[in-house]
Amino acid sequence: MQRTQIKKYRIGKPIPTDSVVVDVELEQGAIPYFHTDEPAKRLTFSLEKEDRVYGLGETIRGMNKRGWIYTSKNADDPVHTEDKRSLYASQNFILITSDKRSLGVYVDTPGVVTFDIGYTKLNELRIDFEDFDADLYFVEGESPLSIVSQFRHIIGRSYIPPRWAFGFGQSRWGYKNAEDVRRVADQYEKAGIPIDMIYMDIDYMERFKDFTVDEKAFPNFPSFVEEMRGRGIHLVPIIDAGVKIEDGYDVYEEGVKGDFFCKKENGENLVAAVWPGKVHFPDFLKDSAREWFGNKYKVLLDQGIDGFWNDMNEPAIFYTEDHLKEVFEKIEDYKGKNLDIWSFFEFKGLVGSIDNNEEDYRRFYHEYKGQKIRHDKVHNIFGYNMTRAAGEAFEKLSPDKRILMFSRSSFIGAHRYGGVWCGDNQSWWSHLLLNIQQMPALSMCGFLFSGADIGGFGANTTEDLVLRWTAFGIFTPLFRNHAALGTREQEMYQFPSKDVFKHLVELRYALVPYLYSEFMKAALEEKMLFKPLAFEYSDERSREIEDQLLLGDSIMIAPVYKQNTTGRMVYLPEDMKLVRFRAYDDYDEEVLTKGDHYVKADLNEVLVFIRKGGVLPLAKPADRTTGVKVENLNYLCYEAKPEDYKLYEDDGESRL
Ligand code: MIG
């Protein structure tokens, strides 16, 4: 542990989060670097003009977080616009850096924290607390990368998925039965587009009950799972946080009997409503409940399932029984009255704010580490502990084989048990850019196995957006096309350019040896997988590049994220070799000099830049990742030899 230059300070009496797994001695004395304003529950840091601030994991806006205000308060909000302050995650790690200094700060508290990074005052970083209780970790180091790696060391090793999870996955909310799923597989096979996974959204369940399968829609489920496995396809079902209240439903009955659900002040189980109708929430913070819920995944593991995605775990609440009652009572008051404008707005707000209502998060309690704690105080670690429930259980239920797991809601610590997807984005070009910008911040916080819904989840997409998004998605570990119920169908085979999609996905499969190697190095050596240019190049221009990424040690990528363009400006911090791919075996190469270039990239082309000394191994693609071999690789090099590349290899499924 002593290789770290980490200092830990404490304010107040923080509720532990278990996000840090290495013992760091507590320092006494005043908090360094920041000015502490106890009555205001605020820490202040003066930013110099040159300082850039990175981090916060999955959130809105650019890579350099300066100039906005972000609140860690996990939210089920499907409209990820620039004006928002919170998304589904709380990943409270930031890095302040300039030529003169670099400092990492981790704010460890499950409570609400606001990072005002030059919002109120351009040159001030304020960290505001709802409760002034937190462990603060200050990480010094000579470079951003060394700071991140020290930080990653104290939060423990990132989750490692099975190698097949690096394949392509198709998803859509609305596949209703086995026939729908078969059709997806058939169409991908017909189009010759590789695929490893088909995701099952809430409709596979019997009336949205966790750990059930609708018998009518999926008769003899285990044999269907086997049938799909026979075709080389993994089915990946969704699990929601709420457990349906229904007599005779074993999960509900066990939960009541075992005292595993979240309770109201009066000791009764909270009644909320989500997709299943009325539900109780498992108290994932309570050890016994976490263990119980985790073991439930066995029901599906036993039927041949080996991957899951955890949803609605902020938790999202459509309404609570108690709040709904109050709303109806208040509505009675309005009835028959001549509403003035203000009462009208009040009335409208009453009904309009029923879901994910602030008050509701104060209506229930957890039993956490032997204490009764109101939900809002630990809200941000709820989803984390759902994923932890699964992750801890998988170690016992599947001691030999890795299980695919990723979650919507997260907090640092959850990165040890699963990855994340970036929630309900929209089919907007701006969200393709957002996806690019989220990746390095996720790497900083340990969430290596991550990605966003390719093509966009909400709203109707367009073919060119799906193409461009796929051309970026082939580089993200989680590579999944997913869309919302009611939106335009966006499976690749829905579009005329099936061949282009085929070439893109084949290129992904050709990249699997590289992606898997770099991913594993990032996990095992506590490195970043995606890096902003400025983390490796010290020139001024690199600091302002917000739409290019370093991926692993060999390459830089520059995705096209604007509509109606046939190329883009690319900044090269040093000479690099451009490889313009039309297919894994059809590309041209050209050395470009340091500086700005307008680089052509049509809808069927992908730009990869090999760095000096970089080696990019390419495999022969296959229909499934299992067919992608590491023998006879084609090595693309720039001022390097194939032998210079350290390929990481293992069986892709044993636990490490
Ligand atoms: O209220 O399960 O983010 O991926 O398709 C919506 C249905 C619930 C939200 C997830 C999305 C999923 C959807 N879910």
Side-chain angles (χ1 to χ4, degrees), residues 576-580 588-592 597 599 608-609:
M576 290 186 186
K577 183 189 268 183
L578 158 67
V579 188
R580 184 187 288 104
D588 44 70
E589 297 173 85
E590 182 189 353
V591 172
L592 295 181
H597 298 265
V599 184
V608 173
F609 298 83

Side-chain angles (χ1 to χ4, degrees), residues 173 201-202 238 275 309 311-312 318 408 421 424 457 482:
W173 177 11
D201 208 319
I202 45 175
I238 195 170
W275 290 108
W309 44 311
D311 191 21
M312 305 297 272
F318 292 168
R408 190 169 74 177
W421 92 96
D424 298 346
F457 175 76
H482 179 49

Side-chain angles (χ1 to χ4, degrees), residues 491-505:
E491 294 83 3
M492 296 176 185
Y493 54 77
Q494 306 284 359
F495 303 106
S497 342
K498 289 188 198 49
D499 278 351
V500 180
F501 281 113
K502 176 179 158 70
H503 290 146
L504 289 173
V505 182

Side-chain angles (χ1 to χ4, degrees), residues 274-519:
V274 210
W275 290 108
K278 290 192 182 157
V279 300
H280 291 321
F281 288 122
D283 186 355
F284 297 116
L285 276 66
K286 183 175 171 179
D287 295 341
S288 59
R290 196 163 61 241
E291 195 180 328
W292 163 72
F293 194 86
N295 277 319
K296 286 285 130 198
Y297 287 80
K298 183 169 189 296
V299 172
L300 290 158
L301 292 174
D302 285 349
Q303 301 182 62
I305 293 296
D306 47 12
F308 302 89
W309 44 311
N310 281 347
D311 191 21
M312 305 297 272
N313 50 0
E314 294 71 32
I317 299 179
F318 292 168
Y319 65 83
T320 60
E321 199 174 46
D322 290 344
H323 183 222
L324 195 68
K325 208 168 138 240
E326 289 164 17
V327 169
F328 278 128
E329 277 162 14
K330 283 190 202 146
I331 286 177
E332 280 300 314
D333 294 346
Y334 289 107
K335 222 171 170 177
K337 277 193 196 138
N338 193 6
L339 297 186
D340 64 39
I341 288 305
W342 300 114
S343 321
F344 162 74
F345 281 119
E346 220 172 71
F347 168 74
K348 192 171 164 231
L350 200 61
V351 181
S353 69
I354 291 181
D355 55 336
N356 301 324
N357 184 275
E358 285 277 317
E359 264 308 305
D360 281 337
Y361 294 108
R362 291 192 276 270
R363 278 177 209 269
F364 62 106
Y365 293 78
H366 296 275
E367 198 182 307
Y368 186 43
K369 299 187 189 284
Q371 282 189 323
K372 180 177 168 183
I373 302 181
R374 207 173 67 191
H375 176 79
D376 61 311
K377 305 284 177 199
V378 286
H379 175 71
N380 292 335
I381 58 172
F382 186 78
Y384 155 26
N385 278 285
M386 178 185 182
T387 299
R388 181 177 176 181
E392 285 174 344
F394 293 158
E395 282 168 30
K396 296 190 194 108
L397 299 172
S398 176
D400 302 322
K401 263 176 46 192
R402 306 173 205 165
I403 301 294
L404 170 61
M405 160 56 58
F406 57 91
S407 167
R408 190 169 74 177
S409 180
S410 68
F411 186 89
I412 290 174
H415 71 286
R416 300 192 296 270
Y417 306 100
V420 291
W421 92 96
C422 301
D424 298 346
N425 59 9
Q426 306 280 330
S427 298
W428 297 341
W429 291 85
S430 59
H431 279 181
L432 166 52
L433 176 60
L434 180 65
N435 186 187
I436 296 166
Q437 292 170 326
Q438 284 171 328
M439 296 314 291
L442 283 161
S443 271
M444 289 173 72
C445 298
F447 291 86
L448 300 180
F449 190 78
S450 43
D453 290 348
I454 290 164
F457 175 76
N460 291 329
T461 199
T462 55
E463 182 170 8
D464 54 352
L465 180 58
V466 186
L467 281 167
R468 291 298 198 193
W469 211 323
T470 304
F472 170 61
I474 61 171
F475 297 105
T476 61
L478 171 61
F479 177 36
R480 180 177 83 144
N481 175 319
H482 179 49
L485 191 69
T487 58
R488 178 179 185 177
E489 292 177 310
Q490 63 183 45
E491 294 83 3
M492 296 176 185
Y493 54 77
Q494 306 284 359
F495 303 106
S497 342
K498 289 188 198 49
D499 278 351
V500 180
F501 281 113
K502 176 179 158 70
H503 290 146
L504 289 173
V505 182
E506 280 179 352
L507 177 56
R508 158 63 170 229
Y509 280 59
L511 285 165
V512 162
Y514 177 73
L515 293 176
Y516 187 67
S517 290
E518 297 302 304
F519 180 96

Side-chain angles (χ1 to χ4, degrees), residues 85-151:
R85 295 181 180 190
S86 310
L87 294 181
Y88 311 86
S90 293
Q91 301 178 24
N92 298 337
F93 176 61
I94 56 169
L95 176 99
I96 306 155
T97 181
S98 74
D99 273 349
K100 284 181 244 158
R101 58 170 178 199
S102 289
L103 177 70
V105 183
Y106 177 47
V107 182
D108 188 10
T109 163
V112 176
V113 187
T114 294
F115 295 84
D116 175 338
I117 312 179
Y119 169 78
T120 304
K121 284 190 186 171
L122 268 183
N123 292 323
E124 204 167 86
L125 161 65
R126 294 176 173 184
I127 306 180
D128 284 298
F129 295 80
E130 205 167 86
D131 295 307
F132 210 38
D133 303 298
D135 278 336
L136 301 170
Y137 294 83
F138 296 106
V139 195
E140 282 191 19
E142 63 288 357
S143 69
L145 288 178
S146 90
I147 289 175
V148 170
S149 120
Q150 290 180 62
F151 172 64

